[in-house]
C-alpha cells in the first residue's frame, strides 16, 4: 500500500513539474511583452525637448557680412554687404540683403588664369571680349527655414546654441557683360535664383554669428559656342559668407 502511495505521489510531482515547465515560456513571454510595451507603446510618457533658450519669433534682425566667391574662372570676389530679416517663428523667416563687389583690385581680383591671359596676349587682350561676366553688385530676397536646433559643448565648459537652415529665393545681379563687337563691355541687370544653407551660432540672446553658403543661377552672356543653347548660357556662381546679425 505504501509503495502504491509513493508511486502516485511521484507521478503527481512529475505532472506538476511538467506543467510548471510548460507554463514558464508563456509566462516569460508575457513578462517580456509587458516590459517592451512600456518602451514602445504610443501612450508612453516621454521627456521632450523644451523651448529654445534663444528665440527669434517676431523679431527683426540686421547684420553685415563679407566672404569669398572663388568659383569664377577669371575673377574672384570679396563681397561686402548687409541684410535685414524678420522671423515669423523660430523656424521660418524672410531675409532681404545685398552685396557690393565692384572695386577692381580690392573686392574684385584677377585669378591666375586672368593674369596668364593678360601676360600672354599683351595688347591683344580685351576684357570686354576675352572674359565672362564680371559681377558689380547683387541684391535678393529669400525665405529661410531652420529645421535643426542644437547645442555644442565648448571645452566642456560652455554651451553654444546653434541652428542649421536652408534658404531659397530670387534676386537681381548687375554684371559687366562682354560683347562680341570689341566695344566697351555692357552693364546689364539680370534676374537670378538663390539657394543656400547656413549655420547660426547664438553668442547672446540678441547676437548671432553666421556662416552661410549661397549658390546663384542666372543666364549669362552669349558666345559663339553657346548662343543656341539656353542651358549652355546658365551660370552657377557660389560664395561663402561670414557675418553677424543683431535681433531687436
Amino acid at each position: 500500500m505504501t509503495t502504491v502511495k509513493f508511486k502516485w505521489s511521484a507521478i503527481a510531482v512529475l505532472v506538476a513539474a511538467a506543467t510548471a515547465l510548460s507554463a514558464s515560456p508563456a509566462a516569460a513571454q508575457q513578462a517580456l511583452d509587458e516590459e517592451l510595451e512600456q518602451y514602445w507603446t504610443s501612450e508612453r510618457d516621454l521627456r521632450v525637448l523644451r523651448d529654445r533658450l534663444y528665440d527669434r519669433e517676431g523679431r527683426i534682425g540686421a547684420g553685415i557680412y563679407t566672404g569669398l566667391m572663388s568659383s569664377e574662372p577669371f575673377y574672384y570676389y570679396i563681397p561686402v554687404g548687409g541684410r535685414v530679416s524678420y522671423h515669423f517663428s523660430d523656424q521660418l523667416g524672410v531675409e532681404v540683403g545685398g552685396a557690393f563687389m565692384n572695386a577692381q583690385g580690392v573686392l574684385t581680383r584677377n585669378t591666375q588664369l586672368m593674369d596668364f591671359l593678360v601676360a600672354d596676349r599683351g595688347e591683344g587682350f580685351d576684357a570686354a571680349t576675352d572674359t565672362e561676366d564680371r559681377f558689380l553688385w547683387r541684391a535678393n530676397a529669400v525665405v529661410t527655414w531652420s529645421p535643426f536646433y542644437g547645442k555644442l559643448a565648448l571645452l566642456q565648459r560652455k554651451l553654444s546654441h546653434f541652428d542649421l537652415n536652408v534658404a531659397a529665393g530670387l534676386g537681381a545681379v548687375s554684371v559687366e557683360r562682354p560683347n562680341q563687337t570689341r566695344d566697351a563691355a555692357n552693364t546689364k541687370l539680370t534676374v537670378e535664383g538663390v539657394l543656400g544653407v547656413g549655420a547660426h551660432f547664438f553668442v547672446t540672446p540678441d547676437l548671432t554669428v553666421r556662416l552661410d553658403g549661397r549658390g546663384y543661377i542666372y543666364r549669362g552672356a552669349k558666345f559663339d559656342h553657346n548662343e543656341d543653347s539656353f542651358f549652355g548660357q546658365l551660370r552657377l556662381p557660389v560664395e561663402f559668407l561670414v557675418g553677424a546679425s543683431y535681433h531687436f
Side-chain angles (χ1 to χ4, degrees):
M1 184 65 178
T2 303
T3 302
V4 174
K5 289 182 178 181
F6 176 79
K7 289 182 178 180
W8 282 109
S9 299
I11 292 173
V13 171
L14 292 174
V15 171
T19 302
L21 290 174
S22 62
S24 293
Q29 182 64 41
Q30 182 179 0
L32 178 61
D33 291 342
E34 292 176 354
E35 186 75 13
L36 291 175
E37 186 176 3
Q38 295 181 12
Y39 290 92
W40 298 108
T41 179
S42 60
E43 298 178 355
R44 180 190 174 202
D45 292 331
L46 294 176
R47 297 176 60 186
V48 298
L49 292 174
R50 300 299 179 186
D51 294 337
R52 300 178 179 216
L53 179 61
Y54 303 125
D55 66 85
R56 292 178 295 188
E57 182 175 353
R59 305 179 69 183
I60 296 174
I64 57 175
Y65 64 88
T66 186
L68 179 66
M69 177 183 287
S70 59
S71 60
E72 301 303 287
F74 300 104
Y75 305 100
Y76 69 88
Y77 304 87
I78 303 173
V80 175
R83 47 199 166 196
V84 176
S85 62
Y86 177 78
H87 290 269
F88 301 102
S89 68
D90 286 324
Q91 291 78 32
L92 187 64
V94 293
E95 184 174 272
V96 178
F100 178 77
M101 57 199 81
N102 184 23
Q104 188 72 20
V106 179
L107 302 181
T108 301
R109 300 189 179 187
N110 294 346
T111 63
Q112 290 185 350
L113 174 60
M114 182 70 147
D115 289 337
F116 171 78
L117 291 175
V118 173
D120 183 66
R121 297 185 182 180
E123 295 182 357
F125 177 80
D126 186 353
T129 58
D130 295 337
T131 64
E132 297 180 350
D133 292 343
R134 184 169 73 88
F135 301 124
L136 306 178
W137 58 264
R138 62 172 21 98
N140 49 66
V142 298
V143 176
T144 60
W145 180 46
S146 305
F148 301 108
Y149 173 79
K151 304 174 185 178
L152 290 174
L154 300 179
L155 301 177
Q156 304 300 322
R157 294 181 179 273
K158 181 176 177 58
L159 284 178
S160 173
H161 298 256
F162 70 94
D163 69 30
L164 304 179
N165 64 79
V166 294
L170 291 173
V173 58
S174 176
V175 299
E176 187 180 74
R177 173 158 293 178
N179 58 64
Q180 304 272 358
T181 63
R182 286 201 166 294
D183 297 328
N186 299 317
T187 299
K188 184 174 179 60
L189 186 66
T190 185
V191 176
E192 64 182 0
V194 185
L195 294 174
V197 295
H200 298 177
F201 298 88
F202 294 84
V203 179
T204 71
D206 303 319
L207 181 65
T208 58
V209 173
R210 300 180 47 166
L211 300 176
D212 295 287
R214 291 286 188 265
Y216 306 95
I217 179 170
Y218 77 97
R219 189 174 182 180
K222 293 182 180 180
F223 295 98
D224 291 338
H225 65 276
N226 68 4
E227 61 182 355
D228 296 324
S229 171
F230 171 80
F231 291 102
Q233 297 167 23
L234 293 182
R235 296 191 60 192
L236 304 169
V238 177
E239 64 183 0
F240 298 94
L241 309 172
V242 58
S245 291
Y246 188 86
H247 295 85
F248 301 90

